[in-house]
């Protein structure tokens, strides 16, 4: 499942020069938890202001929200997500960056994706990534063996096919698959050597 399939398309934007009071009114009106801060020009980055920014940087210090500007408390540049990114990678990006939500951008603002979207709309319970990777790995190994048999194990196509197998094995390992004593490529090479000796 990809970010564009679970993102929220109803996004509210605000200028960095707006007051925090304006931001709060907009958050309340739209019943949102964050606003995307518009870039000032084509080369500028998007920003993000969240209810946590407001609570921790304005409310907690008793500041007047009419006198504090969004640009003083926002995060900029903010993490942005490509709409075609798999949800697992979005979750990993959030975990690594310590954020809860990010705008979905491809040339323009398309939506916003949050941890809540991932948990409530994602299909990771029904379709765990590791199960998917195991199936893809088996297909890739079969393909690499076939290419090696048809074009030779040292051909460019075979090497690329086995490189893809290595990548899938590494990714499966990241998701918790036990690391085998030998990689699929090493097992294949061992079998080739045995055939050559026989």
């Amino acid at each position: 499942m990809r970010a564009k399939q679970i993102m929220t398309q109803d996004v509210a934007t605000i200028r960095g020069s707006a007051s925090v009071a304006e931001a709060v009114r907009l958050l309340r009106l739209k019943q949102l938890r964050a606003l995307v801060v518009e870039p000032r020009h084509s080369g500028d980055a998007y920003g993000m202001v969240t209810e946590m920014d407001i609570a921790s940087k304005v409310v907690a210090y008793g500041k007047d929200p009419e006198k504090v500007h969004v640009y003083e408390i926002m995060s900029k540049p903010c993490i942005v997500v490509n709409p075609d990114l798999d949800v697992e990678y979005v979750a990993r990006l959030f975990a690594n960056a310590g954020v809860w939500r990010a705008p979905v951008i491809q040339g323009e603002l398309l939506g916003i994706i949050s941890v809540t979207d991932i948990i409530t709309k994602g299909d990771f319970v029904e379709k765990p990534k590791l199960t998917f990777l195991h199936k893809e790995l088996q297909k890739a190994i079969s393909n690499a063996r076939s290419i090696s048999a048809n074009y030779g194990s040292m051909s460019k196509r075979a090497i690329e096919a086995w490189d893809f197998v290595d990548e899938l094995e590494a990714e499966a390992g990241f998701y918790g698959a036990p690391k085998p004593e030998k990689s699929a490529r090493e097992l294949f090479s061992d079998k080739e050597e045995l055939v050559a000796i026989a």
Side-chain angles (χ1 to χ4, degrees):
M1 184 165 267
R2 302 190 185 278
K4 65 185 172 189
Q5 295 171 287
I6 66 167
M7 70 181 183
T8 302
Q9 291 178 316
D10 184 22
V11 183
T13 63
I14 195 163
R15 296 173 330 280
S17 59
S19 71
V20 170
E22 289 175 82
V24 171
R25 286 192 283 274
L26 186 55
L27 286 169
R28 288 176 179 170
L29 176 70
K30 297 275 194 175
Q31 296 183 339
L32 298 171
R33 303 181 88 169
L35 301 170
V36 176
V37 182
E38 302 162 358
R40 289 171 291 141
H41 51 79
S42 62
D44 197 17
Y46 282 91
M48 177 81 73
V49 64
T50 67
E51 55 188 6
M52 182 54 81
D53 292 325
I54 295 166
S56 64
K57 298 172 185 173
V58 179
V59 178
Y61 293 98
K63 295 180 180 177
D64 183 349
E66 293 287 357
K67 295 182 179 172
V68 179
H69 295 91
V70 168
Y71 67 79
E72 296 175 71
I73 65 166
M74 69 181 181
S75 297
K76 184 176 177 178
C78 64
I79 298 291
V80 297
V81 172
N82 182 298
D84 293 317
L85 194 62
D86 281 345
V87 172
E88 292 83 4
Y89 293 118
V90 176
R92 195 181 310 170
L93 176 66
F94 284 3
N96 291 343
V99 297
W100 290 84
R101 62 188 53 82
V104 179
I105 296 171
Q106 191 168 50
E108 62 181 353
L109 178 63
L110 303 175
I112 193 166
I113 187 168
S114 69
V115 170
T116 303
D117 294 324
I118 293 169
I119 300 301
T120 61
K121 301 175 192 173
D123 64 353
F124 64 92
V125 173
E126 299 81 11
K127 297 179 182 175
K129 184 71 170 187
L130 194 52
T131 304
F132 170 77
L133 283 173
H134 280 304
K135 289 177 184 173
E136 290 299 303
L137 182 57
Q138 294 311 309
K139 284 190 229 172
I141 290 169
S142 176
N143 183 50
R145 286 179 179 157
S146 175
I147 290 172
S148 295
N150 290 328
Y151 298 96
S153 60
M154 297 311 292
S155 69
K156 182 180 179 196
R157 289 182 68 178
I159 291 168
E160 288 173 352
W162 285 110
D163 285 348
F164 182 61
V165 169
D166 291 343
E167 287 177 31
L168 286 173
E169 283 181 327
E171 188 170 2
F174 180 85
Y175 284 102
K179 185 173 179 170
E181 284 185 34
K182 290 188 173 188
S183 70
R185 183 188 295 223
E186 290 169 332
L187 289 172
F188 180 77
S189 295
D190 290 350
K191 283 182 185 175
E192 270 197 328
E193 286 176 22
L194 288 174
V195 171
I197 291 169

mmCIF file with all atom_site columns, all heavy atoms in Angstrom, residues 116-138:
data_model
loop_
_atom_site.group_PDB
_atom_site.id
_atom_site.type_symbol
_atom_site.label_atom_id
_atom_site.label_alt_id
_atom_site.label_comp_id
_atom_site.label_asym_id
_atom_site.label_entity_id
_atom_site.label_seq_id
_atom_site.pdbx_PDB_ins_code
_atom_site.Cartn_x
_atom_site.Cartn_y
_atom_site.Cartn_z
_atom_site.occupancy
_atom_site.B_iso_or_equiv
_atom_site.pdbx_formal_charge
_atom_site.auth_seq_id
_atom_site.auth_comp_id
_atom_site.auth_asym_id
_atom_site.auth_atom_id
_atom_site.pdbx_PDB_model_num
ATOM 1   N N   . THR A 1 116 ? -1.588 8.135   12.408 1.00 0.00 ? 116 THR A N   1
ATOM 2   C CA  . THR A 1 116 ? -2.975 7.679   12.531 1.00 0.00 ? 116 THR A CA  1
ATOM 3   C C   . THR A 1 116 ? -3.474 7.085   11.225 1.00 0.00 ? 116 THR A C   1
ATOM 4   O O   . THR A 1 116 ? -4.133 6.040   11.224 1.00 0.00 ? 116 THR A O   1
ATOM 5   C CB  . THR A 1 116 ? -3.887 8.850   12.973 1.00 0.00 ? 116 THR A CB  1
ATOM 6   O OG1 . THR A 1 116 ? -3.389 9.376   14.200 1.00 0.00 ? 116 THR A OG1 1
ATOM 7   C CG2 . THR A 1 116 ? -5.324 8.399   13.150 1.00 0.00 ? 116 THR A CG2 1
ATOM 8   N N   . ASP A 1 117 ? -3.158 7.719   10.091 1.00 0.00 ? 117 ASP A N   1
ATOM 9   C CA  . ASP A 1 117 ? -3.541 7.166   8.788  1.00 0.00 ? 117 ASP A CA  1
ATOM 10  C C   . ASP A 1 117 ? -2.926 5.788   8.580  1.00 0.00 ? 117 ASP A C   1
ATOM 11  O O   . ASP A 1 117 ? -3.583 4.861   8.100  1.00 0.00 ? 117 ASP A O   1
ATOM 12  C CB  . ASP A 1 117 ? -3.092 8.087   7.644  1.00 0.00 ? 117 ASP A CB  1
ATOM 13  C CG  . ASP A 1 117 ? -3.812 9.422   7.629  1.00 0.00 ? 117 ASP A CG  1
ATOM 14  O OD1 . ASP A 1 117 ? -5.013 9.451   7.953  1.00 0.00 ? 117 ASP A OD1 1
ATOM 15  O OD2 . ASP A 1 117 ? -3.168 10.430  7.292  1.00 0.00 ? 117 ASP A OD2 1
ATOM 16  N N   . ILE A 1 118 ? -1.649 5.659   8.935  1.00 0.00 ? 118 ILE A N   1
ATOM 17  C CA  . ILE A 1 118 ? -0.952 4.379   8.753  1.00 0.00 ? 118 ILE A CA  1
ATOM 18  C C   . ILE A 1 118 ? -1.625 3.289   9.577  1.00 0.00 ? 118 ILE A C   1
ATOM 19  O O   . ILE A 1 118 ? -1.873 2.183   9.083  1.00 0.00 ? 118 ILE A O   1
ATOM 20  C CB  . ILE A 1 118 ? 0.537  4.514   9.132  1.00 0.00 ? 118 ILE A CB  1
ATOM 21  C CG1 . ILE A 1 118 ? 1.253  5.443   8.138  1.00 0.00 ? 118 ILE A CG1 1
ATOM 22  C CG2 . ILE A 1 118 ? 1.214  3.147   9.190  1.00 0.00 ? 118 ILE A CG2 1
ATOM 23  C CD1 . ILE A 1 118 ? 2.653  5.853   8.557  1.00 0.00 ? 118 ILE A CD1 1
ATOM 24  N N   . ILE A 1 119 ? -1.951 3.594   10.823 1.00 0.00 ? 119 ILE A N   1
ATOM 25  C CA  . ILE A 1 119 ? -2.542 2.591   11.720 1.00 0.00 ? 119 ILE A CA  1
ATOM 26  C C   . ILE A 1 119 ? -3.986 2.274   11.334 1.00 0.00 ? 119 ILE A C   1
ATOM 27  O O   . ILE A 1 119 ? -4.382 1.115   11.310 1.00 0.00 ? 119 ILE A O   1
ATOM 28  C CB  . ILE A 1 119 ? -2.492 3.064   13.195 1.00 0.00 ? 119 ILE A CB  1
ATOM 29  C CG1 . ILE A 1 119 ? -1.040 3.292   13.641 1.00 0.00 ? 119 ILE A CG1 1
ATOM 30  C CG2 . ILE A 1 119 ? -3.199 2.079   14.114 1.00 0.00 ? 119 ILE A CG2 1
ATOM 31  C CD1 . ILE A 1 119 ? -0.143 2.092   13.543 1.00 0.00 ? 119 ILE A CD1 1
ATOM 32  N N   . THR A 1 120 ? -4.773 3.288   11.021 1.00 0.00 ? 120 THR A N   1
ATOM 33  C CA  . THR A 1 120 ? -6.206 3.056   10.770 1.00 0.00 ? 120 THR A CA  1
ATOM 34  C C   . THR A 1 120 ? -6.536 2.655   9.336  1.00 0.00 ? 120 THR A C   1
ATOM 35  O O   . THR A 1 120 ? -7.527 1.966   9.109  1.00 0.00 ? 120 THR A O   1
ATOM 36  C CB  . THR A 1 120 ? -7.044 4.299   11.138 1.00 0.00 ? 120 THR A CB  1
ATOM 37  O OG1 . THR A 1 120 ? -6.631 5.407   10.330 1.00 0.00 ? 120 THR A OG1 1
ATOM 38  C CG2 . THR A 1 120 ? -6.917 4.634   12.612 1.00 0.00 ? 120 THR A CG2 1
ATOM 39  N N   . LYS A 1 121 ? -5.706 3.050   8.363  1.00 0.00 ? 121 LYS A N   1
ATOM 40  C CA  . LYS A 1 121 ? -6.028 2.763   6.963  1.00 0.00 ? 121 LYS A CA  1
ATOM 41  C C   . LYS A 1 121 ? -5.063 1.799   6.289  1.00 0.00 ? 121 LYS A C   1
ATOM 42  O O   . LYS A 1 121 ? -5.349 1.301   5.205  1.00 0.00 ? 121 LYS A O   1
ATOM 43  C CB  . LYS A 1 121 ? -6.036 4.071   6.156  1.00 0.00 ? 121 LYS A CB  1
ATOM 44  C CG  . LYS A 1 121 ? -7.028 5.105   6.648  1.00 0.00 ? 121 LYS A CG  1
ATOM 45  C CD  . LYS A 1 121 ? -6.855 6.385   5.850  1.00 0.00 ? 121 LYS A CD  1
ATOM 46  C CE  . LYS A 1 121 ? -7.600 7.550   6.451  1.00 0.00 ? 121 LYS A CE  1
ATOM 47  N NZ  . LYS A 1 121 ? -7.274 8.816   5.761  1.00 0.00 ? 121 LYS A NZ  1
ATOM 48  N N   . GLY A 1 122 ? -3.917 1.555   6.898  1.00 0.00 ? 122 GLY A N   1
ATOM 49  C CA  . GLY A 1 122 ? -2.911 0.685   6.295  1.00 0.00 ? 122 GLY A CA  1
ATOM 50  C C   . GLY A 1 122 ? -3.337 -0.775  6.294  1.00 0.00 ? 122 GLY A C   1
ATOM 51  O O   . GLY A 1 122 ? -4.192 -1.195  7.073  1.00 0.00 ? 122 GLY A O   1
ATOM 52  N N   . ASP A 1 123 ? -2.731 -1.572  5.425  1.00 0.00 ? 123 ASP A N   1
ATOM 53  C CA  . ASP A 1 123 ? -3.070 -2.990  5.320  1.00 0.00 ? 123 ASP A CA  1
ATOM 54  C C   . ASP A 1 123 ? -1.976 -3.888  5.902  1.00 0.00 ? 123 ASP A C   1
ATOM 55  O O   . ASP A 1 123 ? -1.883 -5.063  5.581  1.00 0.00 ? 123 ASP A O   1
ATOM 56  C CB  . ASP A 1 123 ? -3.338 -3.364  3.868  1.00 0.00 ? 123 ASP A CB  1
ATOM 57  C CG  . ASP A 1 123 ? -2.123 -3.209  2.975  1.00 0.00 ? 123 ASP A CG  1
ATOM 58  O OD1 . ASP A 1 123 ? -1.086 -2.682  3.442  1.00 0.00 ? 123 ASP A OD1 1
ATOM 59  O OD2 . ASP A 1 123 ? -2.201 -3.606  1.800  1.00 0.00 ? 123 ASP A OD2 1
ATOM 60  N N   . PHE A 1 124 ? -1.167 -3.341  6.791  1.00 0.00 ? 124 PHE A N   1
ATOM 61  C CA  . PHE A 1 124 ? -0.026 -4.090  7.324  1.00 0.00 ? 124 PHE A CA  1
ATOM 62  C C   . PHE A 1 124 ? -0.446 -5.269  8.194  1.00 0.00 ? 124 PHE A C   1
ATOM 63  O O   . PHE A 1 124 ? 0.308  -6.210  8.365  1.00 0.00 ? 124 PHE A O   1
ATOM 64  C CB  . PHE A 1 124 ? 0.924  -3.162  8.092  1.00 0.00 ? 124 PHE A CB  1
ATOM 65  C CG  . PHE A 1 124 ? 0.313  -2.538  9.317  1.00 0.00 ? 124 PHE A CG  1
ATOM 66  C CD1 . PHE A 1 124 ? 0.435  -3.143  10.547 1.00 0.00 ? 124 PHE A CD1 1
ATOM 67  C CD2 . PHE A 1 124 ? -0.395 -1.353  9.221  1.00 0.00 ? 124 PHE A CD2 1
ATOM 68  C CE1 . PHE A 1 124 ? -0.131 -2.574  11.677 1.00 0.00 ? 124 PHE A CE1 1
ATOM 69  C CE2 . PHE A 1 124 ? -0.966 -0.776  10.335 1.00 0.00 ? 124 PHE A CE2 1
ATOM 70  C CZ  . PHE A 1 124 ? -0.840 -1.386  11.566 1.00 0.00 ? 124 PHE A CZ  1
ATOM 71  N N   . VAL A 1 125 ? -1.669 -5.257  8.734  1.00 0.00 ? 125 VAL A N   1
ATOM 72  C CA  . VAL A 1 125 ? -2.146 -6.397  9.523  1.00 0.00 ? 125 VAL A CA  1
ATOM 73  C C   . VAL A 1 125 ? -2.527 -7.539  8.585  1.00 0.00 ? 125 VAL A C   1
ATOM 74  O O   . VAL A 1 125 ? -2.156 -8.689  8.807  1.00 0.00 ? 125 VAL A O   1
ATOM 75  C CB  . VAL A 1 125 ? -3.353 -6.001  10.416 1.00 0.00 ? 125 VAL A CB  1
ATOM 76  C CG1 . VAL A 1 125 ? -3.964 -7.214  11.095 1.00 0.00 ? 125 VAL A CG1 1
ATOM 77  C CG2 . VAL A 1 125 ? -2.929 -4.970  11.446 1.00 0.00 ? 125 VAL A CG2 1
ATOM 78  N N   . GLU A 1 126 ? -3.241 -7.202  7.526  1.00 0.00 ? 126 GLU A N   1
ATOM 79  C CA  . GLU A 1 126 ? -3.683 -8.212  6.564  1.00 0.00 ? 126 GLU A CA  1
ATOM 80  C C   . GLU A 1 126 ? -2.548 -8.671  5.650  1.00 0.00 ? 126 GLU A C   1
ATOM 81  O O   . GLU A 1 126 ? -2.540 -9.816  5.204  1.00 0.00 ? 126 GLU A O   1
ATOM 82  C CB  . GLU A 1 126 ? -4.828 -7.661  5.690  1.00 0.00 ? 126 GLU A CB  1
ATOM 83  C CG  . GLU A 1 126 ? -6.074 -7.258  6.457  1.00 0.00 ? 126 GLU A CG  1
ATOM 84  C CD  . GLU A 1 126 ? -5.977 -5.873  7.103  1.00 0.00 ? 126 GLU A CD  1
ATOM 85  O OE1 . GLU A 1 126 ? -5.035 -5.108  6.798  1.00 0.00 ? 126 GLU A OE1 1
ATOM 86  O OE2 . GLU A 1 126 ? -6.834 -5.565  7.933  1.00 0.00 ? 126 GLU A OE2 1
ATOM 87  N N   . LYS A 1 127 ? -1.638 -7.777  5.344  1.00 0.00 ? 127 LYS A N   1
ATOM 88  C CA  . LYS A 1 127 ? -0.552 -8.085  4.406  1.00 0.00 ? 127 LYS A CA  1
ATOM 89  C C   . LYS A 1 127 ? 0.782  -7.636  4.985  1.00 0.00 ? 127 LYS A C   1
ATOM 90  O O   . LYS A 1 127 ? 1.316  -6.601  4.585  1.00 0.00 ? 127 LYS A O   1
ATOM 91  C CB  . LYS A 1 127 ? -0.786 -7.366  3.077  1.00 0.00 ? 127 LYS A CB  1
ATOM 92  C CG  . LYS A 1 127 ? -2.047 -7.788  2.352  1.00 0.00 ? 127 LYS A CG  1
ATOM 93  C CD  . LYS A 1 127 ? -2.205 -7.003  1.066  1.00 0.00 ? 127 LYS A CD  1
ATOM 94  C CE  . LYS A 1 127 ? -3.484 -7.376  0.360  1.00 0.00 ? 127 LYS A CE  1
ATOM 95  N NZ  . LYS A 1 127 ? -3.714 -6.560  -0.826 1.00 0.00 ? 127 LYS A NZ  1
ATOM 96  N N   . PRO A 1 128 ? 1.337  -8.413  5.923  1.00 0.00 ? 128 PRO A N   1
ATOM 97  C CA  . PRO A 1 128 ? 2.627  -8.011  6.502  1.00 0.00 ? 128 PRO A CA  1
ATOM 98  C C   . PRO A 1 128 ? 3.720  -7.953  5.436  1.00 0.00 ? 128 PRO A C   1
ATOM 99  O O   . PRO A 1 128 ? 3.761  -8.780  4.521  1.00 0.00 ? 128 PRO A O   1
ATOM 100 C CB  . PRO A 1 128 ? 2.923  -9.110  7.518  1.00 0.00 ? 128 PRO A CB  1
ATOM 101 C CG  . PRO A 1 128 ? 1.664  -9.881  7.680  1.00 0.00 ? 128 PRO A CG  1
ATOM 102 C CD  . PRO A 1 128 ? 0.831  -9.644  6.473  1.00 0.00 ? 128 PRO A CD  1
ATOM 103 N N   . LYS A 1 129 ? 4.580  -6.982  5.548  1.00 0.00 ? 129 LYS A N   1
ATOM 104 C CA  . LYS A 1 129 ? 5.650  -6.770  4.568  1.00 0.00 ? 129 LYS A CA  1
ATOM 105 C C   . LYS A 1 129 ? 6.571  -7.984  4.466  1.00 0.00 ? 129 LYS A C   1
ATOM 106 O O   . LYS A 1 129 ? 7.007  -8.350  3.380  1.00 0.00 ? 129 LYS A O   1
ATOM 107 C CB  . LYS A 1 129 ? 6.454  -5.526  4.958  1.00 0.00 ? 129 LYS A CB  1
ATOM 108 C CG  . LYS A 1 129 ? 7.532  -5.133  3.987  1.00 0.00 ? 129 LYS A CG  1
ATOM 109 C CD  . LYS A 1 129 ? 6.970  -4.567  2.713  1.00 0.00 ? 129 LYS A CD  1
ATOM 110 C CE  . LYS A 1 129 ? 8.054  -3.955  1.870  1.00 0.00 ? 129 LYS A CE  1
ATOM 111 N NZ  . LYS A 1 129 ? 7.553  -3.251  0.720  1.00 0.00 ? 129 LYS A NZ  1
ATOM 112 N N   . LEU A 1 130 ? 6.855  -8.650  5.575  1.00 0.00 ? 130 LEU A N   1
ATOM 113 C CA  . LEU A 1 130 ? 7.775  -9.785  5.564  1.00 0.00 ? 130 LEU A CA  1
ATOM 114 C C   . LEU A 1 130 ? 7.220  -10.938 4.732  1.00 0.00 ? 130 LEU A C   1
ATOM 115 O O   . LEU A 1 130 ? 7.953  -11.577 3.976  1.00 0.00 ? 130 LEU A O   1
ATOM 116 C CB  . LEU A 1 130 ? 8.079  -10.238 6.992  1.00 0.00 ? 130 LEU A CB  1
ATOM 117 C CG  . LEU A 1 130 ? 9.255  -11.185 7.168  1.00 0.00 ? 130 LEU A CG  1
ATOM 118 C CD1 . LEU A 1 130 ? 10.519 -10.640 6.504  1.00 0.00 ? 130 LEU A CD1 1
ATOM 119 C CD2 . LEU A 1 130 ? 9.516  -11.444 8.646  1.00 0.00 ? 130 LEU A CD2 1
ATOM 120 N N   . THR A 1 131 ? 5.924  -11.197 4.832  1.00 0.00 ? 131 THR A N   1
ATOM 121 C CA  . THR A 1 131 ? 5.293  -12.247 4.021  1.00 0.00 ? 131 THR A CA  1
ATOM 122 C C   . THR A 1 131 ? 5.428  -11.906 2.545  1.00 0.00 ? 131 THR A C   1
ATOM 123 O O   . THR A 1 131 ? 5.775  -12.754 1.723  1.00 0.00 ? 131 THR A O   1
ATOM 124 C CB  . THR A 1 131 ? 3.805  -12.397 4.407  1.00 0.00 ? 131 THR A CB  1
ATOM 125 O OG1 . THR A 1 131 ? 3.724  -12.664 5.807  1.00 0.00 ? 131 THR A OG1 1
ATOM 126 C CG2 . THR A 1 131 ? 3.136  -13.502 3.632  1.00 0.00 ? 131 THR A CG2 1
ATOM 127 N N   . PHE A 1 132 ? 5.156  -10.658 2.208  1.00 0.00 ? 132 PHE A N   1
ATOM 128 C CA  . PHE A 1 132 ? 5.295  -10.195 0.827  1.00 0.00 ? 132 PHE A CA  1
ATOM 129 C C   . PHE A 1 132 ? 6.734  -10.353 0.344  1.00 0.00 ? 132 PHE A C   1
ATOM 130 O O   . PHE A 1 132 ? 6.983  -10.834 -0.758 1.00 0.00 ? 132 PHE A O   1
ATOM 131 C CB  . PHE A 1 132 ? 4.858  -8.724  0.742  1.00 0.00 ? 132 PHE A CB  1
ATOM 132 C CG  . PHE A 1 132 ? 5.171  -8.066  -0.559 1.00 0.00 ? 132 PHE A CG  1
ATOM 133 C CD1 . PHE A 1 132 ? 4.398  -8.309  -1.690 1.00 0.00 ? 132 PHE A CD1 1
ATOM 134 C CD2 . PHE A 1 132 ? 6.253  -7.198  -0.679 1.00 0.00 ? 132 PHE A CD2 1
ATOM 135 C CE1 . PHE A 1 132 ? 4.694  -7.698  -2.902 1.00 0.00 ? 132 PHE A CE1 1
ATOM 136 C CE2 . PHE A 1 132 ? 6.557  -6.585  -1.878 1.00 0.00 ? 132 PHE A CE2 1
ATOM 137 C CZ  . PHE A 1 132 ? 5.772  -6.837  -2.994 1.00 0.00 ? 132 PHE A CZ  1
ATOM 138 N N   . LEU A 1 133 ? 7.695  -9.978  1.185  1.00 0.00 ? 133 LEU A N   1
ATOM 139 C CA  . LEU A 1 133 ? 9.104  -10.076 0.801  1.00 0.00 ? 133 LEU A CA  1
ATOM 140 C C   . LEU A 1 133 ? 9.537  -11.516 0.579  1.00 0.00 ? 133 LEU A C   1
ATOM 141 O O   . LEU A 1 133 ? 10.315 -11.803 -0.339 1.00 0.00 ? 133 LEU A O   1
ATOM 142 C CB  . LEU A 1 133 ? 10.000 -9.424  1.858  1.00 0.00 ? 133 LEU A CB  1
ATOM 143 C CG  . LEU A 1 133 ? 10.036 -7.906  1.849  1.00 0.00 ? 133 LEU A CG  1
ATOM 144 C CD1 . LEU A 1 133 ? 10.824 -7.387  3.042  1.00 0.00 ? 133 LEU A CD1 1
ATOM 145 C CD2 . LEU A 1 133 ? 10.632 -7.378  0.558  1.00 0.00 ? 133 LEU A CD2 1
ATOM 146 N N   . HIS A 1 134 ? 9.042  -12.446 1.395  1.00 0.00 ? 134 HIS A N   1
ATOM 147 C CA  . HIS A 1 134 ? 9.380  -13.861 1.204  1.00 0.00 ? 134 HIS A CA  1
ATOM 148 C C   . HIS A 1 134 ? 8.920  -14.346 -0.172 1.00 0.00 ? 134 HIS A C   1
ATOM 149 O O   . HIS A 1 134 ? 9.663  -15.043 -0.874 1.00 0.00 ? 134 HIS A O   1
ATOM 150 C CB  . HIS A 1 134 ? 8.764  -14.732 2.299  1.00 0.00 ? 134 HIS A CB  1
ATOM 151 C CG  . HIS A 1 134 ? 9.536  -14.730 3.580  1.00 0.00 ? 134 HIS A CG  1
ATOM 152 N ND1 . HIS A 1 134 ? 10.868 -15.081 3.655  1.00 0.00 ? 134 HIS A ND1 1
ATOM 153 C CD2 . HIS A 1 134 ? 9.161  -14.410 4.842  1.00 0.00 ? 134 HIS A CD2 1
ATOM 154 C CE1 . HIS A 1 134 ? 11.272 -14.984 4.904  1.00 0.00 ? 134 HIS A CE1 1
ATOM 155 N NE2 . HIS A 1 134 ? 10.263 -14.550 5.645  1.00 0.00 ? 134 HIS A NE2 1
ATOM 156 N N   . LYS A 1 135 ? 7.697  -13.966 -0.551 1.00 0.00 ? 135 LYS A N   1
ATOM 157 C CA  . LYS A 1 135 ? 7.178  -14.362 -1.873 1.00 0.00 ? 135 LYS A CA  1
ATOM 158 C C   . LYS A 1 135 ? 8.013  -13.737 -2.991 1.00 0.00 ? 135 LYS A C   1
ATOM 159 O O   . LYS A 1 135 ? 8.358  -14.401 -3.971 1.00 0.00 ? 135 LYS A O   1
ATOM 160 C CB  . LYS A 1 135 ? 5.713  -13.944 -2.012 1.00 0.00 ? 135 LYS A CB  1
ATOM 161 C CG  . LYS A 1 135 ? 4.773  -14.760 -1.154 1.00 0.00 ? 135 LYS A CG  1
ATOM 162 C CD  . LYS A 1 135 ? 3.347  -14.255 -1.278 1.00 0.00 ? 135 LYS A CD  1
ATOM 163 C CE  . LYS A 1 135 ? 2.433  -15.016 -0.325 1.00 0.00 ? 135 LYS A CE  1
ATOM 164 N NZ  . LYS A 1 135 ? 1.092  -14.460 -0.285 1.00 0.00 ? 135 LYS A NZ  1
ATOM 165 N N   . GLU A 1 136 ? 8.309  -12.456 -2.856 1.00 0.00 ? 136 GLU A N   1
ATOM 166 C CA  . GLU A 1 136 ? 9.118  -11.770 -3.871 1.00 0.00 ? 136 GLU A CA  1
ATOM 167 C C   . GLU A 1 136 ? 10.524 -12.367 -3.955 1.00 0.00 ? 136 GLU A C   1
ATOM 168 O O   . GLU A 1 136 ? 11.091 -12.493 -5.037 1.00 0.00 ? 136 GLU A O   1
ATOM 169 C CB  . GLU A 1 136 ? 9.205  -10.271 -3.560 1.00 0.00 ? 136 GLU A CB  1
ATOM 170 C CG  . GLU A 1 136 ? 7.908  -9.528  -3.750 1.00 0.00 ? 136 GLU A CG  1
ATOM 171 C CD  . GLU A 1 136 ? 7.403  -9.585  -5.181 1.00 0.00 ? 136 GLU A CD  1
ATOM 172 O OE1 . GLU A 1 136 ? 8.146  -9.172  -6.099 1.00 0.00 ? 136 GLU A OE1 1
ATOM 173 O OE2 . GLU A 1 136 ? 6.269  -10.064 -5.383 1.00 0.00 ? 136 GLU A OE2 1
ATOM 174 N N   . LEU A 1 137 ? 11.078 -12.747 -2.817 1.00 0.00 ? 137 LEU A N   1
ATOM 175 C CA  . LEU A 1 137 ? 12.414 -13.337 -2.775 1.00 0.00 ? 137 LEU A CA  1
ATOM 176 C C   . LEU A 1 137 ? 12.432 -14.670 -3.513 1.00 0.00 ? 137 LEU A C   1
ATOM 177 O O   . LEU A 1 137 ? 13.354 -14.949 -4.290 1.00 0.00 ? 137 LEU A O   1
ATOM 178 C CB  . LEU A 1 137 ? 12.865 -13.515 -1.325 1.00 0.00 ? 137 LEU A CB  1
ATOM 179 C CG  . LEU A 1 137 ? 14.263 -14.087 -1.096 1.00 0.00 ? 137 LEU A CG  1
ATOM 180 C CD1 . LEU A 1 137 ? 15.331 -13.244 -1.781 1.00 0.00 ? 137 LEU A CD1 1
ATOM 181 C CD2 . LEU A 1 137 ? 14.552 -14.189 0.397  1.00 0.00 ? 137 LEU A CD2 1
ATOM 182 N N   . GLN A 1 138 ? 11.417 -15.490 -3.299 1.00 0.00 ? 138 GLN A N   1
ATOM 183 C CA  . GLN A 1 138 ? 11.358 -16.786 -3.991 1.00 0.00 ? 138 GLN A CA  1
ATOM 184 C C   . GLN A 1 138 ? 11.261 -16.591 -5.507 1.00 0.00 ? 138 GLN A C   1
ATOM 185 O O   . GLN A 1 138 ? 11.915 -17.296 -6.274 1.00 0.00 ? 138 GLN A O   1
ATOM 186 C CB  . GLN A 1 138 ? 10.182 -17.628 -3.468 1.00 0.00 ? 138 GLN A CB  1
ATOM 187 C CG  . GLN A 1 138 ? 10.342 -18.056 -2.020 1.00 0.00 ? 138 GLN A CG  1
ATOM 188 C CD  . GLN A 1 138 ? 11.710 -18.663 -1.725 1.00 0.00 ? 138 GLN A CD  1
ATOM 189 O OE1 . GLN A 1 138 ? 12.174 -19.558 -2.421 1.00 0.00 ? 138 GLN A OE1 1
ATOM 190 N NE2 . GLN A 1 138 ? 12.365 -18.163 -0.686 1.00 0.00 ? 138 GLN A NE2 1
#
